[in-house]
Amino acid sequence: MSCTEDKRLNTELTKLECHFTWKMKKEDTNITDHLIKLEDNLDLYLGQKDGIARTHNSLAYVKYLLGSYEEALTNLEKSVELTKDCYGENCDAGLIVTYGNFAWLHFHMKRYAECKSYLDKLKEIKEQKQPVSTFDVHPRVVGEKAWALFKFSRKYYNRAIECFRIALEMEPERGEWNAGYAIVLYRTETKCTSPEDSTAIQQLRQAIETNPDNDEIKLLLALKLAEFKLFDEAEDLVERALDKSPDSPHVIRYVGKYMRNYGQPVDRSIGLLKRALEGTPNSGFIHHQLALCYKKKKQEFGSHSDCKKFLQLCIYHLEKAITLKSGFIFAMTDLAFLYGEDGQIERADEMFQKALSTVEDKTEDQQAVYLHYGGFQEHRNRSETMAVNYYMKCFKIAPNSRNGIKSAMNLRKIADKHLSKNINDTWALGILEIIEQVKGGNQSTSENCVHLLESTCNED
C-alpha cells in the first residue's frame, strides 16, 4: 500500500465510532482485571444477547491491546452473530461499532482489503439509515460507547455519564441506557443529605420502571435507601430480588452486602456469598465481601477461641481477592491491617507500600491508604510520629473530605494527649498549627511545618 493510500485509509478509520476511537488507554486500567470481569460478564448476562454482544466487542478490544489479534477477531465474529440473532433485519445499527472494530483490527493486521470491505459496509449502513432525531449518531452507538467507557476504567465514569445522558435524550424509555446511567450514578454520587437530593435514587427508580426484571438494580436502590434509614422499602426490594433471582451471583453478592451492613444475621450473608462464589469463583469482589463478613464474625467473638479461625478466613479471602483483582486497593488495606493484627508486621508494612505504589497521587484511594496506614502505625506499629506523617499526608490531599476530616480528628487526639501532659509540647502544637494552616489555605507555611514533622518522623 502506498503512503497516500495508507493516509487516506487512516483518515477514514479515525472518523469511525468504535472502541479504537474512544480513547480508552491501556494504562488507564488494570488490563488483566478488566479481562477477567468481561469474561465473567459473559456468564452473568443470562441470555441477554445484546449485552453479550457488547461484551464480546469490549473483549475484542482488550484482546487487541494484549496483542491477541486472532482472539479479537473471534470475539468480533461472535458479536456479529449475537447482534443478528437479537435484532434480525434491523441489526444494521447494532453492527456499526463491531464493523468499525473489524476495520481497525484488520488495518493493524495489515489486511487492507478486509479493512476496506468493512469501511464499505459502514458506508452502506450510513446511506441506508438516517440518524435518529437531531443527533449525528445512532443511540445504540452512543449507548455502547457509554457501557464500554463505564466498564473500562473508573477514570472514564464522567465520560460514561455524559454518553448515557445523550443516549437517554434519544431513547428515554430504553431500559439498558436507564440501567447503565443508574449504576454509574450509584458508583459516583456523594454528599447527599436526603433521598430527595439523590440523583442516583431518582435514576434507580426510573431504571426499575424500564427494567422490571433487573434485580441487581433493585438491590442498588435498596443499598442507597438504607443509607437514609429507609429500611422498610429497602428490605422489601431485597426480598423481591432474592425471591426472583436466588441463584444470580450479582444479586447474591449485593444481598450479602446489604445484610452485613444493615444488621441482618452475618451467617446468612456468609451462606449467600458462598453460594455466589460457587457460580463465580474468580470474583475478587465476592471474596472481599466474604472477608468482611468473617471480620464481623471475628469482632462478635472478641477473645473467643474461634476469633483466630475467623481472622485466618479473613486473610485467606483477602489474599484471594487481590490475587484475582490485582489493583483492589480496599482489599489491600484490609489485608494489611489484618496482617498486623496477626502479628505479621513486616508483611503488613509491605502490603501498605504495595497499595501506595498502586494508587495515583492525590486521589481518594491514596487518601484512604494514607489514613489506614496511619492507623496501622499508631495502633499496631506503636509509632505516633509515623502515624502523624501518614495522617497528615491524607489530610493535606482533601482536608474537607470524609477521610480528611477523620485524619484531622486522629491528629488532634494525638496532639491533645501530648498537650495534656505538657501544655508547651512543641511537637503537638506544631500538629495543631498545621491543621489550622491547611484549613486556612496557607500552603507555604503549612508545607514548612509538615517538613519539620517529617524530619522528626525520619529521626524516630
mmCIF file with all atom_site columns, all heavy atoms in Angstrom, residues 318-337:
data_model
loop_
_atom_site.group_PDB
_atom_site.id
_atom_site.type_symbol
_atom_site.label_atom_id
_atom_site.label_alt_id
_atom_site.label_comp_id
_atom_site.label_asym_id
_atom_site.label_entity_id
_atom_site.label_seq_id
_atom_site.pdbx_PDB_ins_code
_atom_site.Cartn_x
_atom_site.Cartn_y
_atom_site.Cartn_z
_atom_site.occupancy
_atom_site.B_iso_or_equiv
_atom_site.pdbx_formal_charge
_atom_site.auth_seq_id
_atom_site.auth_comp_id
_atom_site.auth_asym_id
_atom_site.auth_atom_id
_atom_site.pdbx_PDB_model_num
ATOM 1   N N   . LEU A 1 318 ? -9.096  -12.336 51.536 1.00 0.00 ? 318 LEU A N   1
ATOM 2   C CA  . LEU A 1 318 ? -8.493  -11.096 51.049 1.00 0.00 ? 318 LEU A CA  1
ATOM 3   C C   . LEU A 1 318 ? -7.304  -11.391 50.143 1.00 0.00 ? 318 LEU A C   1
ATOM 4   O O   . LEU A 1 318 ? -7.096  -10.707 49.135 1.00 0.00 ? 318 LEU A O   1
ATOM 5   C CB  . LEU A 1 318 ? -8.056  -10.223 52.224 1.00 0.00 ? 318 LEU A CB  1
ATOM 6   C CG  . LEU A 1 318 ? -9.205  -9.561  52.994 1.00 0.00 ? 318 LEU A CG  1
ATOM 7   C CD1 . LEU A 1 318 ? -8.691  -8.922  54.275 1.00 0.00 ? 318 LEU A CD1 1
ATOM 8   C CD2 . LEU A 1 318 ? -9.916  -8.526  52.134 1.00 0.00 ? 318 LEU A CD2 1
ATOM 9   N N   . GLU A 1 319 ? -6.517  -12.400 50.490 1.00 0.00 ? 319 GLU A N   1
ATOM 10  C CA  . GLU A 1 319 ? -5.406  -12.788 49.605 1.00 0.00 ? 319 GLU A CA  1
ATOM 11  C C   . GLU A 1 319 ? -5.941  -13.260 48.257 1.00 0.00 ? 319 GLU A C   1
ATOM 12  O O   . GLU A 1 319 ? -5.355  -12.954 47.205 1.00 0.00 ? 319 GLU A O   1
ATOM 13  C CB  . GLU A 1 319 ? -4.578  -13.884 50.279 1.00 0.00 ? 319 GLU A CB  1
ATOM 14  C CG  . GLU A 1 319 ? -3.720  -13.368 51.422 1.00 0.00 ? 319 GLU A CG  1
ATOM 15  C CD  . GLU A 1 319 ? -2.954  -14.464 52.151 1.00 0.00 ? 319 GLU A CD  1
ATOM 16  O OE1 . GLU A 1 319 ? -3.360  -15.657 52.026 1.00 0.00 ? 319 GLU A OE1 1
ATOM 17  O OE2 . GLU A 1 319 ? -1.973  -14.151 52.840 1.00 0.00 ? 319 GLU A OE2 1
ATOM 18  N N   . LYS A 1 320 ? -7.044  -14.007 48.272 1.00 0.00 ? 320 LYS A N   1
ATOM 19  C CA  . LYS A 1 320 ? -7.673  -14.429 47.017 1.00 0.00 ? 320 LYS A CA  1
ATOM 20  C C   . LYS A 1 320 ? -8.154  -13.222 46.230 1.00 0.00 ? 320 LYS A C   1
ATOM 21  O O   . LYS A 1 320 ? -8.004  -13.146 45.001 1.00 0.00 ? 320 LYS A O   1
ATOM 22  C CB  . LYS A 1 320 ? -8.847  -15.367 47.309 1.00 0.00 ? 320 LYS A CB  1
ATOM 23  C CG  . LYS A 1 320 ? -8.446  -16.743 47.819 1.00 0.00 ? 320 LYS A CG  1
ATOM 24  C CD  . LYS A 1 320 ? -7.808  -17.601 46.739 1.00 0.00 ? 320 LYS A CD  1
ATOM 25  C CE  . LYS A 1 320 ? -8.802  -18.060 45.703 1.00 0.00 ? 320 LYS A CE  1
ATOM 26  N NZ  . LYS A 1 320 ? -8.185  -18.972 44.708 1.00 0.00 ? 320 LYS A NZ  1
ATOM 27  N N   . ALA A 1 321 ? -8.743  -12.255 46.938 1.00 0.00 ? 321 ALA A N   1
ATOM 28  C CA  . ALA A 1 321 ? -9.301  -11.076 46.266 1.00 0.00 ? 321 ALA A CA  1
ATOM 29  C C   . ALA A 1 321 ? -8.233  -10.300 45.522 1.00 0.00 ? 321 ALA A C   1
ATOM 30  O O   . ALA A 1 321 ? -8.427  -9.913  44.357 1.00 0.00 ? 321 ALA A O   1
ATOM 31  C CB  . ALA A 1 321 ? -10.002 -10.174 47.288 1.00 0.00 ? 321 ALA A CB  1
ATOM 32  N N   . ILE A 1 322 ? -7.078  -10.068 46.162 1.00 0.00 ? 322 ILE A N   1
ATOM 33  C CA  . ILE A 1 322 ? -6.055  -9.254  45.487 1.00 0.00 ? 322 ILE A CA  1
ATOM 34  C C   . ILE A 1 322 ? -5.289  -10.066 44.455 1.00 0.00 ? 322 ILE A C   1
ATOM 35  O O   . ILE A 1 322 ? -4.672  -9.492  43.555 1.00 0.00 ? 322 ILE A O   1
ATOM 36  C CB  . ILE A 1 322 ? -5.091  -8.602  46.498 1.00 0.00 ? 322 ILE A CB  1
ATOM 37  C CG1 . ILE A 1 322 ? -4.273  -9.655  47.239 1.00 0.00 ? 322 ILE A CG1 1
ATOM 38  C CG2 . ILE A 1 322 ? -5.824  -7.702  47.449 1.00 0.00 ? 322 ILE A CG2 1
ATOM 39  C CD1 . ILE A 1 322 ? -3.160  -9.063  48.071 1.00 0.00 ? 322 ILE A CD1 1
ATOM 40  N N   . THR A 1 323 ? -5.336  -11.394 44.558 1.00 0.00 ? 323 THR A N   1
ATOM 41  C CA  . THR A 1 323 ? -4.747  -12.233 43.508 1.00 0.00 ? 323 THR A CA  1
ATOM 42  C C   . THR A 1 323 ? -5.604  -12.156 42.249 1.00 0.00 ? 323 THR A C   1
ATOM 43  O O   . THR A 1 323 ? -5.098  -12.044 41.128 1.00 0.00 ? 323 THR A O   1
ATOM 44  C CB  . THR A 1 323 ? -4.639  -13.697 43.969 1.00 0.00 ? 323 THR A CB  1
ATOM 45  O OG1 . THR A 1 323 ? -3.799  -13.755 45.122 1.00 0.00 ? 323 THR A OG1 1
ATOM 46  C CG2 . THR A 1 323 ? -4.045  -14.580 42.870 1.00 0.00 ? 323 THR A CG2 1
ATOM 47  N N   . LEU A 1 324 ? -6.924  -12.187 42.438 1.00 0.00 ? 324 LEU A N   1
ATOM 48  C CA  . LEU A 1 324 ? -7.853  -12.141 41.310 1.00 0.00 ? 324 LEU A CA  1
ATOM 49  C C   . LEU A 1 324 ? -8.011  -10.734 40.755 1.00 0.00 ? 324 LEU A C   1
ATOM 50  O O   . LEU A 1 324 ? -8.280  -10.549 39.573 1.00 0.00 ? 324 LEU A O   1
ATOM 51  C CB  . LEU A 1 324 ? -9.220  -12.675 41.747 1.00 0.00 ? 324 LEU A CB  1
ATOM 52  C CG  . LEU A 1 324 ? -9.263  -14.173 42.083 1.00 0.00 ? 324 LEU A CG  1
ATOM 53  C CD1 . LEU A 1 324 ? -10.528 -14.511 42.871 1.00 0.00 ? 324 LEU A CD1 1
ATOM 54  C CD2 . LEU A 1 324 ? -9.193  -15.003 40.809 1.00 0.00 ? 324 LEU A CD2 1
ATOM 55  N N   . LYS A 1 325 ? -7.841  -9.731  41.609 1.00 0.00 ? 325 LYS A N   1
ATOM 56  C CA  . LYS A 1 325 ? -8.025  -8.338  41.204 1.00 0.00 ? 325 LYS A CA  1
ATOM 57  C C   . LYS A 1 325 ? -6.849  -7.545  41.761 1.00 0.00 ? 325 LYS A C   1
ATOM 58  O O   . LYS A 1 325 ? -6.898  -7.025  42.865 1.00 0.00 ? 325 LYS A O   1
ATOM 59  C CB  . LYS A 1 325 ? -9.361  -7.829  41.753 1.00 0.00 ? 325 LYS A CB  1
ATOM 60  C CG  . LYS A 1 325 ? -9.821  -6.501  41.210 1.00 0.00 ? 325 LYS A CG  1
ATOM 61  C CD  . LYS A 1 325 ? -11.254 -6.235  41.675 1.00 0.00 ? 325 LYS A CD  1
ATOM 62  C CE  . LYS A 1 325 ? -11.816 -4.963  41.038 1.00 0.00 ? 325 LYS A CE  1
ATOM 63  N NZ  . LYS A 1 325 ? -11.290 -3.740  41.618 1.00 0.00 ? 325 LYS A NZ  1
ATOM 64  N N   . SER A 1 326 ? -5.801  -7.479  40.988 1.00 0.00 ? 326 SER A N   1
ATOM 65  C CA  . SER A 1 326 ? -4.516  -7.009  41.496 1.00 0.00 ? 326 SER A CA  1
ATOM 66  C C   . SER A 1 326 ? -4.510  -5.544  41.923 1.00 0.00 ? 326 SER A C   1
ATOM 67  O O   . SER A 1 326 ? -3.677  -5.133  42.719 1.00 0.00 ? 326 SER A O   1
ATOM 68  C CB  . SER A 1 326 ? -3.422  -7.241  40.446 1.00 0.00 ? 326 SER A CB  1
ATOM 69  O OG  . SER A 1 326 ? -3.755  -6.620  39.224 1.00 0.00 ? 326 SER A OG  1
ATOM 70  N N   . GLY A 1 327 ? -5.431  -4.746  41.413 1.00 0.00 ? 327 GLY A N   1
ATOM 71  C CA  . GLY A 1 327 ? -5.468  -3.334  41.794 1.00 0.00 ? 327 GLY A CA  1
ATOM 72  C C   . GLY A 1 327 ? -6.526  -3.022  42.825 1.00 0.00 ? 327 GLY A C   1
ATOM 73  O O   . GLY A 1 327 ? -6.969  -1.883  42.944 1.00 0.00 ? 327 GLY A O   1
ATOM 74  N N   . PHE A 1 328 ? -6.928  -4.011  43.619 1.00 0.00 ? 328 PHE A N   1
ATOM 75  C CA  . PHE A 1 328 ? -8.033  -3.893  44.564 1.00 0.00 ? 328 PHE A CA  1
ATOM 76  C C   . PHE A 1 328 ? -7.511  -3.214  45.841 1.00 0.00 ? 328 PHE A C   1
ATOM 77  O O   . PHE A 1 328 ? -7.143  -3.857  46.818 1.00 0.00 ? 328 PHE A O   1
ATOM 78  C CB  . PHE A 1 328 ? -8.587  -5.279  44.872 1.00 0.00 ? 328 PHE A CB  1
ATOM 79  C CG  . PHE A 1 328 ? -9.999  -5.304  45.391 1.00 0.00 ? 328 PHE A CG  1
ATOM 80  C CD1 . PHE A 1 328 ? -10.729 -6.474  45.353 1.00 0.00 ? 328 PHE A CD1 1
ATOM 81  C CD2 . PHE A 1 328 ? -10.600 -4.172  45.923 1.00 0.00 ? 328 PHE A CD2 1
ATOM 82  C CE1 . PHE A 1 328 ? -12.036 -6.525  45.821 1.00 0.00 ? 328 PHE A CE1 1
ATOM 83  C CE2 . PHE A 1 328 ? -11.900 -4.203  46.398 1.00 0.00 ? 328 PHE A CE2 1
ATOM 84  C CZ  . PHE A 1 328 ? -12.619 -5.383  46.347 1.00 0.00 ? 328 PHE A CZ  1
ATOM 85  N N   . ILE A 1 329 ? -7.527  -1.882  45.851 1.00 0.00 ? 329 ILE A N   1
ATOM 86  C CA  . ILE A 1 329 ? -6.909  -1.100  46.921 1.00 0.00 ? 329 ILE A CA  1
ATOM 87  C C   . ILE A 1 329 ? -7.552  -1.370  48.281 1.00 0.00 ? 329 ILE A C   1
ATOM 88  O O   . ILE A 1 329 ? -6.866  -1.539  49.294 1.00 0.00 ? 329 ILE A O   1
ATOM 89  C CB  . ILE A 1 329 ? -6.976  0.408   46.599 1.00 0.00 ? 329 ILE A CB  1
ATOM 90  C CG1 . ILE A 1 329 ? -6.211  0.709   45.297 1.00 0.00 ? 329 ILE A CG1 1
ATOM 91  C CG2 . ILE A 1 329 ? -6.404  1.234   47.748 1.00 0.00 ? 329 ILE A CG2 1
ATOM 92  C CD1 . ILE A 1 329 ? -4.753  0.315   45.335 1.00 0.00 ? 329 ILE A CD1 1
ATOM 93  N N   . PHE A 1 330 ? -8.882  -1.401  48.325 1.00 0.00 ? 330 PHE A N   1
ATOM 94  C CA  . PHE A 1 330 ? -9.555  -1.583  49.611 1.00 0.00 ? 330 PHE A CA  1
ATOM 95  C C   . PHE A 1 330 ? -9.231  -2.951  50.206 1.00 0.00 ? 330 PHE A C   1
ATOM 96  O O   . PHE A 1 330 ? -9.062  -3.093  51.420 1.00 0.00 ? 330 PHE A O   1
ATOM 97  C CB  . PHE A 1 330 ? -11.064 -1.411  49.448 1.00 0.00 ? 330 PHE A CB  1
ATOM 98  C CG  . PHE A 1 330 ? -11.458 -0.021  49.028 1.00 0.00 ? 330 PHE A CG  1
ATOM 99  C CD1 . PHE A 1 330 ? -12.043 0.220   47.798 1.00 0.00 ? 330 PHE A CD1 1
ATOM 100 C CD2 . PHE A 1 330 ? -11.209 1.048   49.866 1.00 0.00 ? 330 PHE A CD2 1
ATOM 101 C CE1 . PHE A 1 330 ? -12.383 1.502   47.409 1.00 0.00 ? 330 PHE A CE1 1
ATOM 102 C CE2 . PHE A 1 330 ? -11.541 2.343   49.497 1.00 0.00 ? 330 PHE A CE2 1
ATOM 103 C CZ  . PHE A 1 330 ? -12.128 2.575   48.266 1.00 0.00 ? 330 PHE A CZ  1
ATOM 104 N N   . ALA A 1 331 ? -9.148  -3.975  49.354 1.00 0.00 ? 331 ALA A N   1
ATOM 105 C CA  . ALA A 1 331 ? -8.785  -5.305  49.853 1.00 0.00 ? 331 ALA A CA  1
ATOM 106 C C   . ALA A 1 331 ? -7.342  -5.306  50.352 1.00 0.00 ? 331 ALA A C   1
ATOM 107 O O   . ALA A 1 331 ? -7.023  -5.960  51.353 1.00 0.00 ? 331 ALA A O   1
ATOM 108 C CB  . ALA A 1 331 ? -8.972  -6.345  48.752 1.00 0.00 ? 331 ALA A CB  1
ATOM 109 N N   . MET A 1 332 ? -6.456  -4.567  49.673 1.00 0.00 ? 332 MET A N   1
ATOM 110 C CA  . MET A 1 332 ? -5.061  -4.489  50.110 1.00 0.00 ? 332 MET A CA  1
ATOM 111 C C   . MET A 1 332 ? -4.946  -3.869  51.500 1.00 0.00 ? 332 MET A C   1
ATOM 112 O O   . MET A 1 332 ? -4.210  -4.374  52.362 1.00 0.00 ? 332 MET A O   1
ATOM 113 C CB  . MET A 1 332 ? -4.240  -3.649  49.117 1.00 0.00 ? 332 MET A CB  1
ATOM 114 C CG  . MET A 1 332 ? -3.956  -4.322  47.796 1.00 0.00 ? 332 MET A CG  1
ATOM 115 S SD  . MET A 1 332 ? -2.941  -3.219  46.773 1.00 0.00 ? 332 MET A SD  1
ATOM 116 C CE  . MET A 1 332 ? -3.012  -4.079  45.202 1.00 0.00 ? 332 MET A CE  1
ATOM 117 N N   . THR A 1 333 ? -5.663  -2.748  51.721 1.00 0.00 ? 333 THR A N   1
ATOM 118 C CA  . THR A 1 333 ? -5.558  -2.081  53.022 1.00 0.00 ? 333 THR A CA  1
ATOM 119 C C   . THR A 1 333 ? -6.188  -2.937  54.123 1.00 0.00 ? 333 THR A C   1
ATOM 120 O O   . THR A 1 333 ? -5.657  -3.009  55.236 1.00 0.00 ? 333 THR A O   1
ATOM 121 C CB  . THR A 1 333 ? -6.228  -0.692  52.986 1.00 0.00 ? 333 THR A CB  1
ATOM 122 O OG1 . THR A 1 333 ? -7.574  -0.809  52.510 1.00 0.00 ? 333 THR A OG1 1
ATOM 123 C CG2 . THR A 1 333 ? -5.461  0.244   52.076 1.00 0.00 ? 333 THR A CG2 1
ATOM 124 N N   . ASP A 1 334 ? -7.303  -3.601  53.809 1.00 0.00 ? 334 ASP A N   1
ATOM 125 C CA  . ASP A 1 334 ? -7.906  -4.510  54.791 1.00 0.00 ? 334 ASP A CA  1
ATOM 126 C C   . ASP A 1 334 ? -6.944  -5.641  55.144 1.00 0.00 ? 334 ASP A C   1
ATOM 127 O O   . ASP A 1 334 ? -6.783  -6.005  56.314 1.00 0.00 ? 334 ASP A O   1
ATOM 128 C CB  . ASP A 1 334 ? -9.212  -5.108  54.238 1.00 0.00 ? 334 ASP A CB  1
ATOM 129 C CG  . ASP A 1 334 ? -10.364 -4.111  54.225 1.00 0.00 ? 334 ASP A CG  1
ATOM 130 O OD1 . ASP A 1 334 ? -10.329 -3.166  55.024 1.00 0.00 ? 334 ASP A OD1 1
ATOM 131 O OD2 . ASP A 1 334 ? -11.293 -4.293  53.413 1.00 0.00 ? 334 ASP A OD2 1
ATOM 132 N N   . LEU A 1 335 ? -6.312  -6.192  54.117 1.00 0.00 ? 335 LEU A N   1
ATOM 133 C CA  . LEU A 1 335 ? -5.374  -7.300  54.335 1.00 0.00 ? 335 LEU A CA  1
ATOM 134 C C   . LEU A 1 335 ? -4.167  -6.838  55.152 1.00 0.00 ? 335 LEU A C   1
ATOM 135 O O   . LEU A 1 335 ? -3.713  -7.544  56.066 1.00 0.00 ? 335 LEU A O   1
ATOM 136 C CB  . LEU A 1 335 ? -4.924  -7.882  52.990 1.00 0.00 ? 335 LEU A CB  1
ATOM 137 C CG  . LEU A 1 335 ? -3.935  -9.053  53.046 1.00 0.00 ? 335 LEU A CG  1
ATOM 138 C CD1 . LEU A 1 335 ? -4.499  -10.206 53.868 1.00 0.00 ? 335 LEU A CD1 1
ATOM 139 C CD2 . LEU A 1 335 ? -3.592  -9.521  51.628 1.00 0.00 ? 335 LEU A CD2 1
ATOM 140 N N   . ALA A 1 336 ? -3.649  -5.659  54.847 1.00 0.00 ? 336 ALA A N   1
ATOM 141 C CA  . ALA A 1 336 ? -2.506  -5.136  55.588 1.00 0.00 ? 336 ALA A CA  1
ATOM 142 C C   . ALA A 1 336 ? -2.834  -4.998  57.073 1.00 0.00 ? 336 ALA A C   1
ATOM 143 O O   . ALA A 1 336 ? -2.049  -5.379  57.943 1.00 0.00 ? 336 ALA A O   1
ATOM 144 C CB  . ALA A 1 336 ? -2.088  -3.779  55.008 1.00 0.00 ? 336 ALA A CB  1
ATOM 145 N N   . PHE A 1 337 ? -4.020  -4.467  57.359 1.00 0.00 ? 337 PHE A N   1
ATOM 146 C CA  . PHE A 1 337 ? -4.446  -4.319  58.749 1.00 0.00 ? 337 PHE A CA  1
ATOM 147 C C   . PHE A 1 337 ? -4.502  -5.675  59.452 1.00 0.00 ? 337 PHE A C   1
ATOM 148 O O   . PHE A 1 337 ? -4.059  -5.823  60.602 1.00 0.00 ? 337 PHE A O   1
ATOM 149 C CB  . PHE A 1 337 ? -5.832  -3.665  58.799 1.00 0.00 ? 337 PHE A CB  1
ATOM 150 C CG  . PHE A 1 337 ? -5.830  -2.322  59.448 1.00 0.00 ? 337 PHE A CG  1
ATOM 151 C CD1 . PHE A 1 337 ? -6.087  -1.179  58.713 1.00 0.00 ? 337 PHE A CD1 1
ATOM 152 C CD2 . PHE A 1 337 ? -5.550  -2.197  60.799 1.00 0.00 ? 337 PHE A CD2 1
ATOM 153 C CE1 . PHE A 1 337 ? -6.070  0.071   59.314 1.00 0.00 ? 337 PHE A CE1 1
ATOM 154 C CE2 . PHE A 1 337 ? -5.539  -0.951  61.408 1.00 0.00 ? 337 PHE A CE2 1
ATOM 155 C CZ  . PHE A 1 337 ? -5.792  0.188   60.654 1.00 0.00 ? 337 PHE A CZ  1
#
